[in-house]
Amino acid sequence: MSRSVTRIRSVLPTSGRTALGATIAGTVLTGLAAAPERVGRLFRHRYPTVAVTGMTGVGKTQLADRLARRSSSDSVAEVGSAVMERRTRRSARLHGFRFLVVPGDNAATRLGALDEVFHDEPVDGVIHVVANGHATGRRTGGTTGAATATRQEQLAAELEDWAITSHRIASMAVRRDKPVWLVIAVTKVDLYADELDDVLRYYSPGSGSPFGDKVDELRALAGGAKLSIDVLPVSSQGGDRKAAISARRAGEMVDALAGRLAQLSGHV
């Protein structure tokens, strides 16, 4: 205890000393009680949570693995995951992201995961993954083997999936006291590299496309000031001799996405 506090206590009557002690103790306890909240806010700033959403087969887990700098499991790539996958990206500067990959299958686990990331413990940002109708077709129930679906059917399924997710995002955004950010990640670009500009436009707000109209609806529901939207191309593949995207270019796209996440999260 400092000399000044000791001097004050020496001139105070017993009742005054008791009150002073209670005040000091209360201040200390208040500080201790607030410490976990401050630590939690600091951790949340350094490692914001990001929901990775999208229909089954678009490559959500593969993208999260690339962002987290880890290899993907072939079995997950084949049949998808029925539960929420968690990945963490760490940097040397003690910053990073915690990715929550929402299952794509329309099952109870998916709906529960959507509730978790958008309502129970709202995330800081969203990466919604789309594939221009080139999602890997999967059989229902997570059974192995490819399912047959036309590109138009996949585009329709992608749009339906986005309608569900976008309403969840809007509901979360209107409840938040700070803006929410959304990145629409257009994957598998090696399959349509020569059409990339048109495809990016299709997924962009104000494009007049079916998907763009849904994005405009989301902005209207959430409020323009409450939601920022980016549309970025990404390739989780690349490097094969026949691939239209080289391994280096694929890596640059993933790095560009990670860089944008850092900007949106205030890390740079």
Side-chain angles (χ1 to χ4, degrees), residues 11-184:
V11 299
L12 286 174
T14 303
S15 59
R17 297 177 192 175
T18 302
L20 176 62
T23 300
I24 295 173
T27 302
V28 172
L29 290 174
T30 301
L32 291 174
E37 182 178 349
R38 289 196 294 268
V39 172
R41 286 199 301 267
L42 176 61
F43 181 77
R44 188 73 181 247
H45 173 70
R46 288 187 174 274
Y47 287 89
T49 54
V50 181
V52 184
T53 60
M55 65 175 282
T56 186
V58 291
K60 298 185 298 296
T61 301
Q62 286 180 311
L63 178 56
D65 284 342
R66 287 294 301 271
L67 288 167
R69 304 185 183 97
R70 59 178 286 179
S71 59
S72 297
S73 169
D74 292 337
S75 60
V76 171
E78 182 183 359
V79 302
S81 177
V83 297
M84 187 145 65
E85 298 279 339
R86 301 173 188 270
R87 302 287 188 270
T88 301
R89 178 187 176 94
R90 297 178 176 85
S91 73
R93 301 179 62 184
L94 299 179
H95 285 104
F97 302 94
R98 292 169 291 157
F99 299 105
L100 305 177
V101 185
V102 176
D105 285 325
N106 192 12
T109 53
R110 175 177 183 266
L111 297 178
L114 287 172
D115 285 340
E116 179 178 337
V117 300
F118 292 131
H119 185 271
D120 300 342
E121 298 181 21
V123 294
D124 299 289
V126 182
I127 300 175
H128 186 77
V129 186
V130 292
N132 191 31
H134 293 281
T136 302
R138 290 175 179 152
R139 296 179 182 177
T140 58
T143 54
T144 59
T148 301
T150 67
R151 180 168 173 269
Q152 291 305 315
E153 289 172 337
Q154 293 283 41
L155 282 172
E158 187 178 83
L159 193 60
E160 181 180 355
D161 173 82
W162 170 239
I164 296 171
T165 304
S166 63
H167 278 84
R168 301 279 184 131
I169 295 173
S171 178
M172 177 182 70
V174 297
R175 299 194 311 268
R176 300 288 290 272
D177 57 358
K178 63 178 183 178
V180 175
W181 52 263
L182 162 70
V183 175
I184 299 174

